Amino acid sequence: MTEYLPPHAPELNPVEYIWAYWKQHELPNVCPKDYGQLSRRPRRALRRMQRKPRLVTAFWKQSSLCFE
């Protein structure tokens, strides 16, 4: 079953909560010097988040989406 979301509903998108977390906690005020650093910093942040499954679960719950 496919559920269609409204065109602009960031509160229903768990990825938006991940970006908000990154901006405040993982990557605040980051100004990369080159494309390599632009790629490496977010990848490291994503790996750190993978070790925090409760955090990712909280983003899903916060979005109020439920999957069965």
Side-chain angles (χ1 to χ4, degrees):
M1 181 166 97
T2 302
E3 289 290 330
Y4 292 95
L5 300 175
H8 183 70
E11 67 279 0
L12 296 177
N13 187 349
V15 174
E16 294 294 333
Y17 293 107
I18 292 172
W19 278 114
Y21 177 81
W22 277 13
K23 287 192 273 186
Q24 289 183 353
H25 301 282
E26 295 286 342
L27 305 169
N29 300 318
V30 170
C31 184
K33 295 179 183 177
D34 56 24
Y35 286 113
Q37 191 178 40
L38 179 65
S39 176
R40 284 187 302 270
R41 293 283 303 263
R43 286 176 194 263
R44 276 191 238 136
L46 186 57
R47 276 191 229 111
R48 282 192 298 272
M49 285 186 69
Q50 286 176 330
R51 288 177 266 179
K52 300 176 183 177
R54 293 176 71 194
L55 183 63
V56 176
T57 301
F59 295 144
W60 280 100
K61 288 182 180 178
Q62 191 172 0
S63 70
S64 301
L65 295 176
C66 56
F67 295 97
E68 294 180 16

